[in-house]
Amino acid sequence: MSDLVRLTATEIAGKVTSGEVSAVEVTQAHLDRIGEVDGRVHAFLHVDADGALAAARAVDAKRAAGQPLGPLAGVPLAMKDVVVTEGLPTTAGSKILQGWVPPFDATITRRIKDAGVVILGKTNMDEFAMGSSTENSAYGPSHNPWDLDRIPGGSSGGSSAAVAAFEAPLAIGTDTGGSIRQPAAVTGIVGHKPTYGGVSRYGLIAFSSSLDQAGPFGRTVLDTALLHEVIGGYDPADSTSIPQPVPPVAAAARAGAGSDLAGLRVGVVRDLGGEGYQAGVLAAFDDAVATLRKLGAEIVEVSCPHFQYALPAYYLIAPSECSSNLARFDSVRYGLRVGDDGVNALEDVMSLTREAGFGAEVKRRIMIGSYALSSGYYDAYYGQAQKVRTLISRDFAAAFDQADVLVSPTSPFVAFPIGERIADPMAMYINDLCTLPASLAGTPALSVPCGLSENLPVGLQIMAPALADDRCYRVGAAFEAAVEPLSIPEVAK
Ligand code: GLN
């Protein structure tokens, strides 16, 4: 393995800017690493070696011409396959989009390219981002670099696996109910779900529009913050985009590293812990709280009594919105078409296509969502779930009166074995216990590694009020600097 793939994004950008290495050398080193390990990790669905090298050459040419480079110029990145990329296959992990090549870039894709960040390829994911393990991908699961027989989290498991396996220093994920934070936690890396509306959704294939947020992965808090600044900020093409500048997350990450947390009030959420959580996860979390206290933070306990209803509320709202969003996959507009033999009626072609193109979990959710939105049940299910959402936001508001940030484990479990939970939807859904409240409230949350349990990584979740993403990064960076870094194992040969 080349030393170049061990570097952080910040280090790579520094070396590219100073001319110590070229962007082409860095990109080639990562492509070689992908060639070496991705047969076992399966982080990528599509590797774009030619496009990546061309993007790297453009960065090198810009430098040679004396033009200024951005803070991540020449740094390779792995892109979740739910984000559209002009000219590059985009499947959202589904058979129904096999072979579809988008004619345009998502806003975040465009911003990444404009920043000189090099897109290596598209990463594996649970179909349409529904899941917590990547086992719902139509293209087979990804594998956790810590133990190839275990899941790398989901739905952005290809992205987390790529970063943890040193195939890319940065990746993009999307988080609807936890799909950036949980994969970051179980692979021992950093991931952040931005404030809803803080990062454009234009060009993300929609799952649940009132919850979907794209966000960054990195191996350090600062790298993650730098990528956040590249993708974040107002976009007129997204009607829910917040017309405000990106919070100063990179400055917060720099200020946090090595500084103390005196004067900061940290709220431990009583309702996110205890029964149902693995003992090793709770022990690592307790150690993390002790570290925050040692850094000078004042630790308070807060109660958020409605968080217990986050799971049922989410599993009505997300399927409801998905049942509407996925209606566009109708065999006419994109991708797969089955049964178009001149004899079948159009409705039959649609139904045969959806039958063949969607996997079991996607179908389950479309059915639950269609039911919950039907006229006789709308108030009882969807309407009720939206009320619960308001109660959860009020719990957050009350908790943030007592504390500047809230903390919890990111996931109740460490990475579980592939195959262990896939047959039992409820066993899969409870992975989201800790991440769902911030999704429903639209507030930002960061996951940072906080030690090991059974030799597998555990994540600390740091939550802040809407638009205070910088607080997550400041506390995350102070914590990261105060603990032993995890040493991510080499992928077994
Ligand atoms: N695990 C959750 C689900 O299956 C969250 C997915 C996500 O955040 N995209 O819906």
mmCIF file of all heavy atoms in Angstrom, residues 249-270:
data_model
loop_
_atom_site.group_PDB
_atom_site.id
_atom_site.type_symbol
_atom_site.label_atom_id
_atom_site.label_comp_id
_atom_site.label_asym_id
_atom_site.label_seq_id
_atom_site.Cartn_x
_atom_site.Cartn_y
_atom_site.Cartn_z
ATOM 1 N N VAL A 249 -17.501 25.690 9.674
ATOM 2 C CA VAL A 249 -17.184 24.380 10.260
ATOM 3 C C VAL A 249 -15.687 24.072 10.245
ATOM 4 O O VAL A 249 -15.168 23.443 11.176
ATOM 5 C CB VAL A 249 -18.008 23.259 9.583
ATOM 6 C CG1 VAL A 249 -19.485 23.396 9.925
ATOM 7 C CG2 VAL A 249 -17.821 23.224 8.070
ATOM 8 N N ALA A 250 -14.965 24.504 9.193
ATOM 9 C CA ALA A 250 -13.522 24.201 9.160
ATOM 10 C C ALA A 250 -12.788 25.007 10.230
ATOM 11 O O ALA A 250 -11.907 24.476 10.931
ATOM 12 C CB ALA A 250 -12.954 24.483 7.776
ATOM 13 N N ALA A 251 -13.167 26.271 10.386
ATOM 14 C CA ALA A 251 -12.549 27.075 11.450
ATOM 15 C C ALA A 251 -12.841 26.454 12.814
ATOM 16 O O ALA A 251 -11.977 26.407 13.697
ATOM 17 C CB ALA A 251 -13.068 28.508 11.401
ATOM 18 N N ALA A 252 -14.065 25.928 12.983
ATOM 19 C CA ALA A 252 -14.430 25.309 14.262
ATOM 20 C C ALA A 252 -13.596 24.052 14.499
ATOM 21 O O ALA A 252 -13.138 23.798 15.620
ATOM 22 C CB ALA A 252 -15.919 24.965 14.272
ATOM 23 N N ALA A 253 -13.380 23.260 13.439
ATOM 24 C CA ALA A 253 -12.573 22.041 13.592
ATOM 25 C C ALA A 253 -11.133 22.406 13.952
ATOM 26 O O ALA A 253 -10.503 21.747 14.789
ATOM 27 C CB ALA A 253 -12.609 21.215 12.306
ATOM 28 N N ARG A 254 -10.611 23.459 13.333
ATOM 29 C CA ARG A 254 -9.227 23.874 13.644
ATOM 30 C C ARG A 254 -9.150 24.403 15.075
ATOM 31 O O ARG A 254 -8.217 24.095 15.815
ATOM 32 C CB ARG A 254 -8.776 24.959 12.672
ATOM 33 C CG ARG A 254 -8.472 24.412 11.290
ATOM 34 C CD ARG A 254 -7.524 25.333 10.512
ATOM 35 N NE ARG A 254 -7.211 24.741 9.227
ATOM 36 C CZ ARG A 254 -7.928 24.951 8.100
ATOM 37 N NH1 ARG A 254 -8.956 25.775 8.111
ATOM 38 N NH2 ARG A 254 -7.590 24.342 6.987
ATOM 39 N N ALA A 255 -10.154 25.198 15.477
ATOM 40 C CA ALA A 255 -10.129 25.787 16.823
ATOM 41 C C ALA A 255 -10.297 24.708 17.887
ATOM 42 O O ALA A 255 -9.717 24.786 18.972
ATOM 43 C CB ALA A 255 -11.238 26.828 16.956
ATOM 44 N N GLY A 256 -11.095 23.681 17.555
ATOM 45 C CA GLY A 256 -11.376 22.646 18.552
ATOM 46 C C GLY A 256 -10.168 21.771 18.847
ATOM 47 O O GLY A 256 -9.948 21.356 19.996
ATOM 48 N N ALA A 257 -9.359 21.497 17.823
ATOM 49 C CA ALA A 257 -8.256 20.543 17.998
ATOM 50 C C ALA A 257 -7.263 21.059 19.027
ATOM 51 O O ALA A 257 -6.697 22.141 18.866
ATOM 52 C CB ALA A 257 -7.558 20.312 16.660
ATOM 53 N N GLY A 258 -7.090 20.290 20.092
ATOM 54 C CA GLY A 258 -6.107 20.659 21.104
ATOM 55 C C GLY A 258 -6.595 21.680 22.123
ATOM 56 O O GLY A 258 -5.893 21.996 23.067
ATOM 57 N N SER A 259 -7.822 22.199 21.925
ATOM 58 C CA SER A 259 -8.305 23.176 22.913
ATOM 59 C C SER A 259 -9.201 22.474 23.935
ATOM 60 O O SER A 259 -9.637 21.345 23.723
ATOM 61 C CB SER A 259 -9.065 24.305 22.217
ATOM 62 O OG SER A 259 -10.338 23.852 21.847
ATOM 63 N N ASP A 260 -9.478 23.178 25.051
ATOM 64 C CA ASP A 260 -10.342 22.539 26.044
ATOM 65 C C ASP A 260 -11.805 22.925 25.783
ATOM 66 O O ASP A 260 -12.102 23.627 24.822
ATOM 67 C CB ASP A 260 -9.890 22.891 27.475
ATOM 68 C CG ASP A 260 -10.075 24.366 27.770
ATOM 69 O OD1 ASP A 260 -10.961 25.004 27.154
ATOM 70 O OD2 ASP A 260 -9.332 24.905 28.611
ATOM 71 N N LEU A 261 -12.680 22.404 26.622
ATOM 72 C CA LEU A 261 -14.106 22.655 26.425
ATOM 73 C C LEU A 261 -14.684 23.392 27.639
ATOM 74 O O LEU A 261 -15.867 23.263 27.957
ATOM 75 C CB LEU A 261 -14.845 21.342 26.177
ATOM 76 C CG LEU A 261 -14.476 20.601 24.879
ATOM 77 C CD1 LEU A 261 -15.174 19.250 24.797
ATOM 78 C CD2 LEU A 261 -14.840 21.438 23.640
ATOM 79 N N ALA A 262 -13.842 24.168 28.302
ATOM 80 C CA ALA A 262 -14.297 24.896 29.501
ATOM 81 C C ALA A 262 -15.477 25.791 29.129
ATOM 82 O O ALA A 262 -15.463 26.457 28.096
ATOM 83 C CB ALA A 262 -13.151 25.732 30.070
ATOM 84 N N GLY A 263 -16.504 25.767 29.957
ATOM 85 C CA GLY A 263 -17.667 26.623 29.722
ATOM 86 C C GLY A 263 -18.722 25.981 28.834
ATOM 87 O O GLY A 263 -19.819 26.521 28.685
ATOM 88 N N LEU A 264 -18.399 24.836 28.244
ATOM 89 C CA LEU A 264 -19.370 24.180 27.360
ATOM 90 C C LEU A 264 -20.268 23.237 28.177
ATOM 91 O O LEU A 264 -19.775 22.471 29.001
ATOM 92 C CB LEU A 264 -18.629 23.373 26.286
ATOM 93 C CG LEU A 264 -19.552 22.719 25.254
ATOM 94 C CD1 LEU A 264 -19.782 23.673 24.084
ATOM 95 C CD2 LEU A 264 -18.966 21.406 24.750
ATOM 96 N N ARG A 265 -21.560 23.313 27.926
ATOM 97 C CA ARG A 265 -22.484 22.402 28.612
ATOM 98 C C ARG A 265 -22.846 21.251 27.667
ATOM 99 O O ARG A 265 -23.370 21.466 26.573
ATOM 100 C CB ARG A 265 -23.753 23.142 29.021
ATOM 101 C CG ARG A 265 -23.522 24.272 30.043
ATOM 102 C CD ARG A 265 -24.752 25.145 30.151
ATOM 103 N NE ARG A 265 -25.156 25.634 28.846
ATOM 104 C CZ ARG A 265 -26.374 26.134 28.557
ATOM 105 N NH1 ARG A 265 -27.299 26.199 29.491
ATOM 106 N NH2 ARG A 265 -26.659 26.553 27.336
ATOM 107 N N VAL A 266 -22.525 20.040 28.102
ATOM 108 C CA VAL A 266 -22.790 18.845 27.286
ATOM 109 C C VAL A 266 -23.951 18.078 27.917
ATOM 110 O O VAL A 266 -23.876 17.677 29.079
ATOM 111 C CB VAL A 266 -21.547 17.936 27.212
ATOM 112 C CG1 VAL A 266 -21.877 16.607 26.549
ATOM 113 C CG2 VAL A 266 -20.416 18.633 26.462
ATOM 114 N N GLY A 267 -25.018 17.883 27.169
ATOM 115 C CA GLY A 267 -26.175 17.148 27.683
ATOM 116 C C GLY A 267 -26.122 15.688 27.276
ATOM 117 O O GLY A 267 -26.046 15.371 26.090
ATOM 118 N N VAL A 268 -26.131 14.813 28.275
ATOM 119 C CA VAL A 268 -26.210 13.379 27.988
ATOM 120 C C VAL A 268 -27.701 13.025 27.920
ATOM 121 O O VAL A 268 -28.441 13.247 28.877
ATOM 122 C CB VAL A 268 -25.510 12.559 29.096
ATOM 123 C CG1 VAL A 268 -25.719 11.057 28.885
ATOM 124 C CG2 VAL A 268 -24.027 12.897 29.145
ATOM 125 N N VAL A 269 -28.132 12.507 26.784
ATOM 126 C CA VAL A 269 -29.561 12.225 26.596
ATOM 127 C C VAL A 269 -29.899 10.899 27.290
ATOM 128 O O VAL A 269 -29.497 9.832 26.838
ATOM 129 C CB VAL A 269 -29.928 12.149 25.103
ATOM 130 C CG1 VAL A 269 -31.441 11.956 24.938
ATOM 131 C CG2 VAL A 269 -29.471 13.399 24.364
ATOM 132 N N ARG A 270 -30.638 11.018 28.381
ATOM 133 C CA ARG A 270 -30.967 9.835 29.191
ATOM 134 C C ARG A 270 -31.718 8.791 28.362
ATOM 135 O O ARG A 270 -31.560 7.589 28.549
ATOM 136 C CB ARG A 270 -31.823 10.271 30.387
ATOM 137 C CG ARG A 270 -31.993 9.220 31.449
ATOM 138 C CD ARG A 270 -33.010 9.640 32.509
ATOM 139 N NE ARG A 270 -32.667 10.952 33.091
ATOM 140 C CZ ARG A 270 -33.584 11.849 33.478
ATOM 141 N NH1 ARG A 270 -34.868 11.599 33.353
ATOM 142 N NH2 ARG A 270 -33.209 13.000 34.004
#
